[in-house]
Structures are given as structure tokens and as C-alpha cells.
Amino acid sequence: MGLEKLNSLYREVILDHSDHPHHKHALPDATHKITLKNPTCGDVINLDIQLSDDDKISDIGFTGEGCTISQSSASMMTDAVMGKSKDQALHMAKTFSDMVMGKQHPQADLDELQDAAILSNIMTFPARIKCATLAWWALQRALLKDDSTEDEEKGAI
Amino acid sequence: MGLEKLNSLYREVILDHSDHPHHKHALPDATHKITLKNPTCGDVINLDIQLSDDDKISDIGFTGEGCTISQSSASMMTDAVMGKSKDQALHMAKTFSDMVMGKQHPQADLDELQDAAILSNIMTFPARIKCATLAWWALQRALLKDDSTEDEEKGAI
Amino acid sequence: MDSTLNKIDQDFPILDQEVNDEHLVYLDNAATAQRPNQVVNALTHFYQTDNANVHRGVHTLAERATADYEAARRKVQAFINAPEPEEVIFTKGCTDGLNLVASTYGEANIKAGDEIVISIMEHHSNLIPWQQLALKKHATLKYIHLTDDGELDMEEAARLITDKTKIVAVAHASNVMGTVNPVKQLAALAHQHGAVFVGDGAQSVPHMKVDVQDLDVDFYAFSGHKMMGPTGIGILYGKRELLEAMPPYQYGGEMIGFVHQFESTWAELPYKFEAGTQNIAGAVGLGAAVDYLNNIGMDRVQAHEKEIVNYLLPKLEALDGITVYGPQEPAKHTGVIAFNLENLHPHDVATALDMEGVAVRAGHHCAQPLMEYLGLTATARASFYLYNTLADADRLLEALQATKEFFNHGSRETK
Amino acid sequence: MDSTLNKIDQDFPILDQEVNDEHLVYLDNAATAQRPNQVVNALTHFYQTDNANVHRGVHTLAERATADYEAARRKVQAFINAPEPEEVIFTKGCTDGLNLVASTYGEANIKAGDEIVISIMEHHSNLIPWQQLALKKHATLKYIHLTDDGELDMEEAARLITDKTKIVAVAHASNVMGTVNPVKQLAALAHQHGAVFVGDGAQSVPHMKVDVQDLDVDFYAFSGHKMMGPTGIGILYGKRELLEAMPPYQYGGEMIGFVHQFESTWAELPYKFEAGTQNIAGAVGLGAAVDYLNNIGMDRVQAHEKEIVNYLLPKLEALDGITVYGPQEPAKHTGVIAFNLENLHPHDVATALDMEGVAVRAGHHCAQPLMEYLGLTATARASFYLYNTLADADRLLEALQATKEFFNHGSRETK
Ligand SMILES: Cc1ncc(COP(=O)(O)O)c(C=O)c1O
Ligand SMILES: Cc1ncc(COP(=O)(O)O)c(C=O)c1O
């Protein structure tokens, strides 16, 4: 097996996150909820965000199903944005989607992503980019949409 | 110019027929009338046939417009079938369309076609086969159809 | 193993390459096949000697191009044993052909309250056209489901197909489960009730002898690219009397009789359904693919794939933690095999296999209702063709073993 | 003469052949162009290295094929200056694209009493779809006619296009008369009245710089095979907001979001309009054709054709007993020239020219209403492209002279 290349995608930290995902639980009373599906592979994420009065992410949780990449990306995303302001979180989502498309970013932006920055490798696996971005897109849509729930079919990426 | 090849198609007799077509006139009171158009090139033939009580072609005439091949073919066809019985004429039409598709025929059948037999050369000009057969198709349809006039658009070949 | 077939890989230079430093094993044939040199050369030859627009043209190139194009139609006609060349219509592909039938025959013949019967294993291309037609016409869409062994439930079919049924549309072979459906029986059932039968031949024509007269199907659609022909060309076979009664699908050049400012008449078959410049080179290439398959013989193609499945399927089923969908008996299986590894998402499996040079597909395979019915979101799928070998089957098995070890922390820990 | 352009015929081996013992002069480019080696090689390369089905595929070949396919889309986008790649839809050809618009936008937006305005010089592919839509919807179809010089009567256009008009559909360049129509002005007129403008670019995109944003067209369709790309591929450009509001055209694989048994949702642009496996290799080949044209530069292509027309048209018009249709001034003419010789049917002319190795077309050129309007049944047509030369123009003139002599009993008597 081209083990090095496989290892470069499935780094220990990624496999750890997918084996033991963080914040993988629902927040029934969250202020922001969204369900997003990737029609290509059937991956689904339900993302619940608790925004405090001063627009900080005071709690976050996700449920759903998907591949190693999408599950670990969701886990790393929740770690990274916990406690951040809405604007910061949106900025991070932008950084992430730019990063996986191969665009350059200041190191500070990448550091902010914490473990999630490790997914920059996904660039070399174009077919898997959508897996990595699903959680971040869900974050973005949840924070930007007007009504607090969204029809899941419409939320397809 | 590949003059020999052009001459082999446009033989003197063909050009004579198209310059001075025989039976090129309408028979207003004919027993069988048909109008046929070739949508590919816009050629049109109006064929009028007078069938006697004993099913013989007692008179025939055509009008219309078309290329050298279709006009001379119509002229040669009218010469050939004049005075023939309906069945004989249909047999000749079959011989003609077989001939231009390259099928073998007894010499007697070909002789019966008179000048029209000269169009066997058309085989080597596949794009022009329809020009040569238009008049013979009109003959066939006129003799076989039930009602004595046919909608010209339906009569397209 | 049929030794002649083992030598044909020299006709497929694309197979002789390294992918991720491993020799390529291409097992995504149900998505698209590879083209032999003979097909590529036919395209090149056409473009470099005969290329012109067909019909209407008086000049020599146009005559040659027309002859090439019509010769390809007659090759396909003979290949599927269609009664007449006029019943063989060139399309863009299987999807185009099925949409054509739904939009013309369906549009003209389906009324509110009518029923359309399809199967739960249909590819989206033989599902959504009927679903949307039913929605538009207030007709009822009914699904034939599966037996426990992944075969079509013919008892249910016999119950569902009634005098209310106007169209029955089923795939000849499943693109997910490798099931071959009893199309002849289904067509007979449909005819008993005055319905027409539409066969989706995308996964059958490339892999077995198909005789549309013996099957007595009314319409039958398939794609060139899955049978080693070029992309962008396909075939719709239809019975003459049905095609003649149908309105045209698209309007434009070549499909007309007379065009006036405010009305038009249509050309004879097959041109009525071939509006505009067709994929002429594509047709010629498809003709070359038919020649290639005929040279080998469809019986040998099928026997070759059967041999691979006979070898592979039991070994695959014996893998720890694998689920193979569809019929478990090799004899009932085409060269299409869908499976999942326990606790592993098929996308991860496909990526890992790709690292081993083994190309398989992962996803819903354009059969979401089937996935939903099976309680799945996705599967991996390996699909074989005549240039694949038992060695390719072994490579798949080894790569699956390595994948399992990698994700089960085997390789991860030795890192 | 542009000397670089004179050397390009080495890219077109098909042109280096004898037809009826004469060196071929191919003047049927309005029907279809020839393909340079670069395009044929792109097809061969794709089939022999990257071929796979696009999207959804996780394996390396599928990734490469997807990248090739999407790169081709972006090449076309840049070539016609479309704002976004999602507005560039791959079709089977120009006819397919125009039918798509009529069947989706037209179907959804035309009501009884609405008006559709086209021109009398339209090709059947940009005429019958609107004629049949009007018949089906009880809308009114109106024709813009011509000035004495074979140009569109823009005063009539201004009268015909009113607030009742919902669609205006006109060819950018005529495939019979060589007229270039003021598409930008027509689009503006349409927009003033709230109508959309559909441009038929089949005879313009291959021959001149086309900028869909500058023209401000709402839809614009053209074919790959007339611009040296493969057969079976074409482009429909559409403005995003219009495309997004439209229902899909065909249903099947790739164009879906979610498919349930009784309902479905659609994919984002452009995939919503690309159902089933597309002509992937065709798209790649079209991308290579765009590269080839860009390498030369559309300005030079146009200048080259202008030079031939400037040279040929006066000489042609000076022939005894010839009628040239369309604009008589070279400056107003594309490289498409329709004509008739007195007392000679164009089919006989085309056959005679073919004997001289000169390939022209004869017939109604899929423009029967134009023929009827001009009082003709058919014409001969010579059409030039970038590989044609002044020497080709001379060969045409000589062959016409010989044809006249032959049929005027010159050659016949010396026989
Ligand atoms: C002006 C015009 N429009 C449309 C078409 C149709 O193009 P296609 O046959 O490639 O679909 C043509 C080509 O003949 C044309 O010349
Ligand atoms: C069973 C089946 N039907 C229809 C299709 C659609 O074929 P295409 O995408 O070539 O139009 C496919 C191919 O994916 C298939 O497997």
C-alpha cells in the first residue's frame, strides 16, 4: 500500500478524532440547529450551536454519520470554535475552506484552526474535499441563516 | 475536372432528357394524380396517369421542378411505362429501385426500362439516388394508393 | 482462464500505468469501461479521412461519413438483433434514451390514474423520468421490491402489474447488486396487461448477449461508454409501430420533412428522433466497439466475467467483517459487486484501495432509493470487465485486507 | 495573407487527400469543420491515460477525468467570457441547447397570447423549437424579415418586439447568407420589453470573438463540431438567475440532490442540466479546440476569412449567370456564401464541383422558411474556415467555370 500517502491523509490525530469524536451529542435546546447532507455519499451532519447573548459559541454538538474524514473534521471543528465569537467562527470557516482549496493563509489563521489545520492535506485528495468541509459549511450556514431550523434537503451541499 | 466520371453520370441521353423532357405536361383529368416532394433538396414532381378500363397506362404526364437527374429520370420513366399495364409498370418501378441500389437483375428486366436503365450509374453517386428514384416512387404510389389524390406533404420521400 | 482474453490488455494502454506507485487495477467498469485501441483508432481514422456532416451532403466526404454512420447503426442493429435499422436510434447515452421515451411515449400515453411500475433497484436514470412523469400526470408510480437474496420479487411484480399499468420499466442488470432481472418475463407480464416494457440495458448489453426480439421488449436503452465505445453516444431501440406513433423529442435539423413558418412535418424513422448534428464520430466508435465485442464473442465475455466472480465472490464473502449485497451465489451475479467493510465508510475504503492502485467506486451509485431500502447510505463497488483477470481479483482481496489492517490500527501502530 | 495561417494545414491531415483524383478543397465548414491533430490527440490522450467517469469517483482516474472535464468548462467560459463556470452547460450540440431552453424556460414562462419573435433566416434548430412551443402554448410566433441586402430588418424588429414579447431568438450569423446579425442591439431591444434573448452562436463562435457579457445575451448556444471540436458536444450558456429558476431538462444520474421514491431534488448548477454520463472526452476535445483557436487568436481567424471573402466575392459575383444571396458587400459577409448558377440545379452543381475535388453543400441548409421567403428551393453553399486559402477560392472559381461549360454543352460536345 502507498502507506505513506494514506498516512498523510489519515494522520493519527484524524483517526483519533473519528474513533473518539469530541462533542458528538445533540443539544436539544440550542439556539442554532442545522442538518446538512452530502448527496454524493449520503453523509449527514446535525449541528447544534448554543450562541450566548454576546454572540459567543457557549456550547456546540453534532450528531450524524459519515466517513472518517467528515467525522473527524466535525470533531476538530467543534473543538476549534468552542468559545469563539460568531464572527471569529465565520472567519475560521472561511480560512478552512480556503485552506483545503489550496489558497495561502497567514500562519496565525491556520493556528487558530487547531487540529483542523491538519486537514490541509486533503487538497491532494480532491474527491474527499467535500467530506472535510461538510462540518464547516454546516457551521457557516447555521450561523448565517435567519430561521433557526433549515429543511435538510435544502441544506444539501 | 474528373470529366469521365461526370460524363458517366450525365450521359448525353440524360442531358437530352433534362433539356427536352418528354411528357412534361399536366393531364388535368387523369385517373391517378400525385405530388411528391424530396424534402432534402426541394425537388417536386406532379405526376398524372390515365389508366384505361383494362388497367393500361393510356397517357402519362409530369410537371414540377428539380435537378438534371430527377427531371431526366421522370422523362425516361414516362417513356418507359407508356402503354404498359399497371402490373408491368409496378414491376418496372421495382426493377428500377433495385437497380440503383446495386441489385442484380435479368437483362430482360433492364431492357424494359429503356433509356432509364442508363441511370444504373447513379449507384456510384449515393447522394443522388433519391433524385433518380423520385419519379419512380411517384409512379408506384400513384398506382397503389386508394384515393386518387394525395396530400403532398405526406407524399414526401 | 480463457487465454486469448488474457492477452487483450495490450489493446488497452490505459491499463498499463502506475497509480500511487502501484500498477493500476481498474474495477470501475460499471461507471465506464475503458476503450481498446481499435475504438480510439476508429475515431482518429474517421476524423482524419472521412469527417463531414452526414445526410444531405452531395460531396464525397459527406457520402463517406454518411456511409460510416449508417454502417455503425446496422452493426448495433445486428448486435442486439433488432428487426430493422430504423428502430435503432442514436442518442447521447442511456439517460438520454430513457428521457426520450418518458417525454414522448410517456407524455402522450400516460393519463391521471394510470400506473407506472418500476423496481426499487433502478438507477436514477430509469427512475426519476418515471417519477416526474407520474407527478406531472397524476399517475401512480409503483415499486417492485426484492427477495431476501437481492433478486426482484416476481410475485410482487405479478401483483403490481395490472390493467391499470401503462408502462413497466426495469433494468436488465442492476448497477449495484449484480442481479440480472427476468426481463423477458416482465415484458410478457406487461404485454398481458396491455402495458409497454422499457428495458434499461446499461449494465447488460456490455456484458451478455442481448436479443431484443427474443426478450420482446418495446423499448431498450443503453450507453456506448459502458461497452468500450466513446462517451456521448448511446442507443434507444424501439418497436417501429411505437416509434412511428410518437411525437418527436427534439426539434431541429435533419429530423424534419417540411418546415413552414407556422407548422412542420417530421422525417421518417430513425431521423425523426435524431435532431441536429449527431455524435457522428461517436457512432463510428461505437460501431468499432461492437466489432471488438463480436470478435471476442459475447458468450466468452460473459464466461470470462463469470469465472472471475466464481473465483472472487466466495473469497470476498469469507473476509472478516465484510457484507456483500445482492445475490450471494456467483451463478446469479454479474461482474458488479457491492460491499461494505464493518465500521468503515466506503469512501475511506475507496481511498485506501486507490492508494493500492485499485480503482473502485463508493457512494450510492445513482440508486438512492435502493440504498434507503437496504438501510444504507453508501457502499463500495467493484465491477469487472473482459480485460480484468483473476490476478486483479487477488489484488482487490489483498488491498481490502491491507485496508482493514490499516484502519484497525494495524498499520497505524507500526508507523 | 497571414503566413502563419497558411502553414496550419499540416495540422489537418484530412485535407491532404485526393477526392475524385483532385486535391480536396473542403468548403463545407458551415456544416462541420475539420479537427486539427491537437484535438484528435487530446481525445486519444484522454482515452489512453485518464478515462473514467467524472464526479462522485474517489479513485485517481476519476479525479483526473473530473479535473480534465472541469478544466474544459473553464476554457469555454473564458473563451466566451461567461461570468462563471456554472453558467456554461455541456450539451450534445447547438440543437440540444436550444431545445433545452425551449423545453424548460419556454415551457415554464410562455402562456397563451404571449409572443415569440424569431427571424426568417433561422436554422431549423432555432426555429422549430419556438414554432412548436408557440403551437403548444397558443402563443404567437413572429418573424423578422430581411432588407433588400439580406440583412435583418431592424425597423421591423423594433416594431415586432413589444411588451407582449417573452422570447427573442435569433442567430448571431446566418448559416446561409453569411449575414452577421446585431445581436447586442436585439438583446437590448428584448430587455427593454422584459423579454429574454436567445442567441444561436453556431456560425459565430467558431469564426469571431464572442463575449456573452458584452452582448448581454440571456442564453447562447453553439456546437463543438463547427469550431473544430469533436461531434456530440456543445455548449449552452445561460445567466445564472435564469438557469437557477428553470426546471431540469432531463432526469438521471448526476443531476440530483436527493432522490426518494416519490420525489427528488436537483443538483446545483451546472449539474442540474447535465443528466447522465456526459460526453466527457468530447468536452476535453472541445477544450483542445478552444486552445487551438486561442493560440491563433480569434481576430486573426476572422481577418483570415475576411481576406478570402474580399478576394472571392467580387470574382464570384462577376461570373456570368450566378446569383449570390445575402449581403453583396464583402465587409458584411462571413465566410459563408450561398449562390446559384442560372439554369442549373444546385445538386448538379455540387456533384460537378465534387468531381473537381471541391466540397460544397447544396440544398435548403436547414432553412426552409428562408428558402421559401427568397423564392428558392435550394442553393449551393461554399463556406470557409481558417485552413482555407486564396488558392482554394481560385479552385472554386475554376471549378464553377468548368461546371458551367460542361452543362452548357461545352464539355459534352468535345467528348
Ligand atoms: C445557425 C445554426 N444554428 C444551429 C445549428 C445546429 O447545430 P447542430 O446541428 O450542431 O446542433 C446550425 C448547424 O447546422 C447552424 O448553422
Ligand atoms: C443501470 C443503469 N442505468 C442507466 C445508467 C445511465 O447511463 P448513462 O450515465 O451513460 O446515461 C447507468 C449508468 O450509470 C446504469 O448503470
Side-chain angles (χ1 to χ4, degrees):
Chain A
M1 159 135 42
L3 255 194
E4 291 105 273
K5 209 176 166 199
L6 200 56
N7 269 327
S8 87
L9 176 61
Y10 296 101
R11 302 271 282 277
E12 201 62 42
V13 50
I14 291 176
L15 292 173
D16 282 348
H17 273 281
S18 78
D19 288 350
H20 312 288
H22 307 174
H23 310 103
K24 187 157 182 183
H25 50 72
L27 305 178
D29 306 319
T31 55
H32 292 63
K33 285 176 163 293
I34 197 169
T35 295
L36 219 58
K37 271 191 180 180
N38 180 349
T40 313
C41 54
D43 285 1
V44 53
I45 183 169
N46 311 295
L47 185 65
D48 298 345
I49 303 172
Q50 184 65 40
L51 224 53
S52 63
D53 291 345
D54 59 350
D55 258 1
K56 277 215 162 60
I57 296 177
S58 60
D59 203 359
I60 188 164
F62 77 100
T63 58
E65 271 182 279
C67 63
T68 305
I69 305 295
S70 76
Q71 291 295 297
S72 60
S73 181
S75 170
M76 297 187 290
M77 180 276 287
T78 54
D79 277 359
V81 301
M82 177 71 100
K84 295 288 193 303
S85 73
K86 177 178 164 182
D87 286 349
Q88 273 175 303
L90 286 172
H91 179 72
M92 288 161 71
K94 174 89 170 60
T95 303
F96 186 87
S97 62
D98 282 356
M99 175 187 83
V100 296
M101 302 303 285
K103 291 202 195 129
Q104 295 295 324
H105 263 278
Q107 190 58 40
D109 282 355
L110 297 179
D111 288 347
E112 203 179 25
L113 295 181
Q114 302 174 25
D115 282 357
I118 217 166
L119 275 169
S120 64
N121 268 321
I122 203 83
M123 281 188 294
T124 55
F125 297 82
R128 309 302 302 277
I129 291 177
K130 275 197 178 177
C131 310
T133 41
L134 184 65
W136 290 93
W137 282 25
L139 174 75
Q140 208 172 22
R141 290 219 199 173
L143 292 177
L144 289 177
K145 75 200 165 78
D146 294 333
D147 49 345
S148 67
T149 53
E150 187 164 336
D151 173 313
E152 66 171 48
E153 301 278 283
K154 277 215 179 129
I157 62 169
Chain B
M1 156 136 44
L3 253 194
E4 290 107 89
K5 208 174 167 203
L6 199 57
N7 269 326
S8 88
L9 176 61
Y10 295 101
R11 302 272 282 278
E12 200 62 40
V13 50
I14 292 177
L15 293 172
D16 282 349
H17 271 284
S18 79
D19 288 350
H20 312 286
H22 306 174
H23 310 104
K24 187 156 184 185
H25 50 72
L27 305 178
D29 305 319
T31 53
H32 291 65
K33 285 173 163 294
I34 199 170
T35 295
L36 221 59
K37 270 189 182 182
N38 179 349
T40 316
C41 55
D43 286 1
V44 52
I45 184 170
N46 311 295
L47 184 65
D48 297 345
I49 302 172
Q50 184 65 40
L51 222 55
S52 62
D53 291 346
D54 57 347
D55 258 1
K56 280 215 157 63
I57 297 178
S58 60
D59 203 359
I60 188 164
F62 78 98
T63 57
E65 270 183 282
C67 64
T68 305
I69 306 295
S70 75
Q71 291 295 297
S72 61
S73 180
S75 171
M76 296 186 291
M77 180 276 287
T78 54
D79 276 359
V81 302
M82 176 71 98
K84 295 287 192 306
S85 73
K86 179 178 163 181
D87 286 351
Q88 272 176 306
L90 286 172
H91 179 73
M92 289 161 72
K94 175 90 171 60
T95 302
F96 186 88
S97 61
D98 282 357
M99 176 187 83
V100 297
M101 302 302 284
K103 292 201 196 129
Q104 294 297 322
H105 262 277
Q107 189 58 40
D109 280 357
L110 297 178
D111 288 347
E112 205 180 23
L113 294 180
Q114 303 174 24
D115 282 359
I118 218 166
L119 275 170
S120 65
N121 268 319
I122 203 86
M123 284 188 294
T124 54
F125 298 84
R128 308 303 301 277
I129 290 176
K130 274 198 179 174
C131 311
T133 41
L134 184 65
W136 291 93
W137 283 25
L139 175 73
Q140 209 170 22
R141 291 220 198 174
L143 292 178
L144 290 178
K145 75 198 162 83
D146 295 332
D147 49 344
S148 69
T149 52
E150 186 166 335
D151 175 310
E152 66 172 49
E153 300 278 282
K154 278 213 177 129
I157 62 168
Chain C
M1 200 97 213
D2 191 326
S3 61
T4 340
L5 277 189
N6 279 337
K7 277 196 215 122
I8 64 170
D9 59 348
Q10 67 200 29
D11 295 335
F12 297 86
I14 192 171
L15 298 175
D16 189 19
Q17 67 172 302
E18 310 259 295
V19 149
N20 295 314
D21 305 322
E22 303 283 345
H23 196 267
L24 171 64
V25 174
Y26 183 76
L27 302 182
D28 194 16
N29 293 288
T32 200
Q34 298 301 341
R35 286 77 175 131
N37 287 336
Q38 287 83 338
V39 167
V40 176
N41 292 346
L43 291 175
T44 303
H45 179 84
F46 177 78
Y47 281 134
Q48 298 192 335
T49 60
D50 294 354
N51 178 65
N53 214 324
V54 297
H55 309 304
R56 306 193 187 287
V58 170
H59 59 78
T60 302
L61 255 50
E63 281 173 5
R64 293 208 302 248
T66 305
D68 294 347
Y69 181 68
E70 293 303 327
R73 192 192 307 276
R74 283 189 303 273
K75 285 178 190 180
V76 175
Q77 178 207 347
F79 191 63
I80 59 169
N81 195 30
E84 299 172 44
E86 292 80 12
E87 298 174 318
V88 174
I89 295 161
F90 284 117
T91 63
K92 177 168 154 179
C94 187
T95 302
D96 190 31
L98 294 165
N99 276 274
L100 190 163
V101 179
S103 296
T104 55
Y105 184 86
E107 185 71 32
N109 290 284
I110 294 294
K111 295 177 306 295
D114 286 346
E115 296 185 358
I116 302 172
V117 175
I118 66 175
S119 95
I120 195 71
M121 68 169 91
E122 295 314 307
H123 185 282
H124 293 161
S125 294
N126 197 32
L127 190 158
I128 318 181
W130 309 117
Q131 179 193 80
Q132 296 297 312
L133 178 67
L135 284 173
K136 182 171 171 191
K137 297 286 183 174
H138 304 283
T140 306
L141 184 66
K142 299 202 159 171
Y143 285 87
I144 311 169
H145 297 85
L146 309 182
T147 65
D148 289 345
D149 195 31
E151 295 187 89
L152 215 59
D153 184 340
M154 288 301 286
E155 286 175 22
E156 191 187 12
R159 278 196 309 276
L160 288 182
I161 300 171
T162 68
D163 288 354
K164 284 190 172 173
T165 310
K166 292 291 172 298
I167 296 173
V168 179
V170 175
H172 198 162
S174 161
N175 69 315
V176 179
M177 298 185 302
T179 323
V180 179
N181 292 320
V183 158
K184 189 173 175 171
Q185 231 175 300
L186 286 163
L189 254 176
H191 295 156
Q192 274 165 35
H193 295 281
V196 297
F197 181 82
V198 183
D200 172 354
Q203 300 291 343
S204 49
V205 175
H207 303 286
M208 59 185 75
K209 180 87 205 104
V210 168
D211 179 333
V212 293
Q213 291 188 69
D214 175 55
L215 297 174
D216 199 20
V217 289
D218 300 293
F219 298 100
Y220 198 84
F222 53 100
S223 286
H225 69 95
K226 293 188 203 277
M227 55 190 283
M228 305 186 294
T231 54
I233 190 83
I235 296 291
L236 174 68
Y237 159 77
K239 286 184 182 165
R240 179 187 274 279
E241 66 273 22
L242 294 170
L243 293 175
E244 278 182 347
M246 277 150 59
Y249 181 45
Q250 296 191 319
Y251 304 103
E254 305 299 339
M255 55 70 70
I256 51 95
F258 295 98
V259 181
H260 302 292
Q261 289 191 38
F262 303 105
E263 58 184 17
S264 305
T265 62
W266 316 127
E268 304 284 307
L269 293 177
Y271 307 114
K272 182 169 93 174
F273 293 105
E274 295 182 355
T277 304
Q278 299 297 301
N279 189 351
I280 304 166
V284 170
L286 178 56
V290 166
D291 287 343
Y292 191 86
L293 284 166
N294 279 335
N295 250 347
I296 292 172
M298 290 311 292
D299 290 345
R300 281 173 69 204
V301 170
Q302 193 173 11
H304 177 82
E305 292 175 24
K306 276 252 167 298
E307 193 174 346
I308 295 178
V309 173
N310 286 341
Y311 174 82
L312 174 64
L313 204 58
K315 289 192 163 55
L316 204 58
E317 285 165 353
L319 278 186
D320 220 34
I322 200 168
T323 309
V324 177
Y325 305 99
Q328 306 291 305
E329 272 175 63
K332 292 186 174 175
H333 229 285
T334 69
V336 176
I337 304 174
F339 60 90
N340 269 326
L341 293 180
E342 204 177 10
N343 294 328
L344 265 178
H345 193 281
H347 266 193
D348 294 318
V349 174
T351 295
L353 294 181
D354 187 47
M355 291 304 118
E356 289 277 18
V358 179
V360 303
R361 191 144 292 234
H364 52 61
H365 314 295
C366 300
Q368 288 183 13
L370 175 64
M371 293 289 128
E372 203 169 22
Y373 175 74
L374 297 175
L376 301 168
T377 54
T379 79
R381 181 188 69 185
S383 51
F384 293 80
Y385 208 6
L386 42 78
Y387 34 70
N388 292 123
T389 61
L390 296 184
D392 291 348
D394 283 332
R395 285 277 305 279
L396 171 65
L397 289 164
E398 287 158 25
L400 282 172
Q401 197 58 49
T403 301
K404 283 176 46 178
E405 280 163 19
F406 178 85
F407 284 105
N408 293 336
H409 306 266
S411 310
R412 285 155 71 183
E413 272 149 26
T414 68
K415 187 182 66 177
Chain D
M1 199 102 213
D2 191 325
S3 62
T4 340
L5 277 189
N6 280 335
K7 276 195 217 123
I8 64 171
D9 58 351
Q10 68 201 27
D11 295 335
F12 297 84
I14 192 172
L15 298 175
D16 190 19
Q17 68 171 299
E18 309 261 295
V19 150
N20 294 315
D21 307 320
E22 303 283 344
H23 196 269
L24 171 66
V25 174
Y26 184 77
L27 302 182
D28 195 17
N29 293 288
T32 200
Q34 298 301 340
R35 287 74 175 137
N37 287 334
Q38 287 82 339
V39 167
V40 176
N41 293 346
L43 291 175
T44 303
H45 179 82
F46 177 78
Y47 281 134
Q48 299 192 335
T49 61
D50 294 354
N51 179 64
N53 214 324
V54 298
H55 309 304
R56 305 193 188 288
V58 170
H59 59 79
T60 302
L61 255 48
E63 281 173 4
R64 293 209 302 247
T66 306
D68 294 347
Y69 181 68
E70 292 304 328
R73 193 192 307 278
R74 284 190 301 275
K75 284 177 190 181
V76 175
Q77 178 207 348
F79 190 64
I80 59 170
N81 195 30
E84 300 172 44
E86 292 81 11
E87 298 173 318
V88 174
I89 295 160
F90 284 117
T91 63
K92 176 166 153 181
C94 188
T95 302
D96 190 32
L98 294 166
N99 276 274
L100 190 163
V101 179
S103 296
T104 55
Y105 184 86
E107 186 69 34
N109 290 284
I110 294 294
K111 295 179 306 295
D114 287 347
E115 296 185 357
I116 302 172
V117 176
I118 67 175
S119 94
I120 194 71
M121 69 169 91
E122 294 314 306
H123 186 282
H124 293 160
S125 294
N126 197 32
L127 190 157
I128 318 181
W130 309 117
Q131 178 194 80
Q132 296 296 312
L133 178 67
L135 284 174
K136 181 172 172 191
K137 297 285 185 176
H138 304 282
T140 305
L141 183 67
K142 298 204 161 169
Y143 284 87
I144 310 170
H145 297 85
L146 309 182
T147 66
D148 289 346
D149 196 30
E151 294 187 90
L152 215 59
D153 184 341
M154 287 302 287
E155 286 177 21
E156 191 188 9
R159 278 195 308 276
L160 288 182
I161 300 171
T162 68
D163 288 355
K164 286 190 170 173
T165 311
K166 293 292 172 299
I167 296 173
V168 179
V170 175
H172 198 163
S174 160
N175 69 314
V176 179
M177 297 184 301
T179 323
V180 178
N181 292 320
V183 157
K184 187 173 177 171
Q185 230 175 302
L186 286 164
L189 255 176
H191 295 156
Q192 275 167 34
H193 295 281
V196 298
F197 181 83
V198 182
D200 172 354
Q203 300 292 343
S204 49
V205 174
H207 303 286
M208 60 186 76
K209 180 91 204 101
V210 167
D211 179 332
V212 292
Q213 291 189 71
D214 176 55
L215 298 174
D216 199 20
V217 288
D218 300 292
F219 297 101
Y220 198 84
F222 53 100
S223 287
H225 69 94
K226 293 187 204 277
M227 56 191 283
M228 304 184 297
T231 52
I233 190 82
I235 296 290
L236 175 67
Y237 159 78
K239 285 184 182 166
R240 179 187 274 280
E241 67 273 21
L242 294 171
L243 293 175
E244 277 181 346
M246 276 149 60
Y249 181 44
Q250 297 191 320
Y251 305 104
E254 306 298 340
M255 55 70 69
I256 52 96
F258 295 99
V259 181
H260 302 292
Q261 288 191 40
F262 303 105
E263 58 186 16
S264 305
T265 62
W266 317 128
E268 305 283 304
L269 292 177
Y271 308 113
K272 181 168 92 174
F273 294 106
E274 295 183 355
T277 304
Q278 298 297 300
N279 189 353
I280 304 166
V284 170
L286 179 56
V290 166
D291 288 342
Y292 190 87
L293 283 166
N294 279 336
N295 250 348
I296 292 172
M298 290 312 291
D299 291 344
R300 280 173 69 206
V301 170
Q302 192 172 12
H304 177 82
E305 292 176 23
K306 275 252 168 300
E307 193 174 344
I308 294 177
V309 173
N310 286 342
Y311 174 81
L312 174 65
L313 203 57
K315 288 193 163 55
L316 204 58
E317 286 164 353
L319 278 186
D320 218 35
I322 200 169
T323 308
V324 177
Y325 305 99
Q328 305 292 305
E329 273 177 61
K332 293 185 173 175
H333 230 286
T334 67
V336 175
I337 303 174
F339 60 89
N340 269 327
L341 292 180
E342 204 176 8
N343 294 329
L344 265 179
H345 193 282
H347 266 192
D348 294 318
V349 173
T351 295
L353 293 180
D354 186 47
M355 292 302 117
E356 289 276 17
V358 179
V360 303
R361 192 145 290 237
H364 52 61
H365 314 295
C366 301
Q368 288 184 14
L370 175 64
M371 292 291 129
E372 203 171 20
Y373 175 73
L374 296 175
L376 300 168
T377 54
T379 79
R381 180 187 73 185
S383 52
F384 292 79
Y385 208 6
L386 43 77
Y387 35 69
N388 292 122
T389 62
L390 296 184
D392 291 348
D394 283 332
R395 285 278 305 279
L396 171 65
L397 290 164
E398 287 158 25
L400 282 171
Q401 196 59 49
T403 301
K404 284 177 45 178
E405 281 163 19
F406 178 83
F407 284 103
N408 293 334
H409 307 264
S411 308
R412 284 155 73 184
E413 272 149 24
T414 68
K415 186 182 67 177

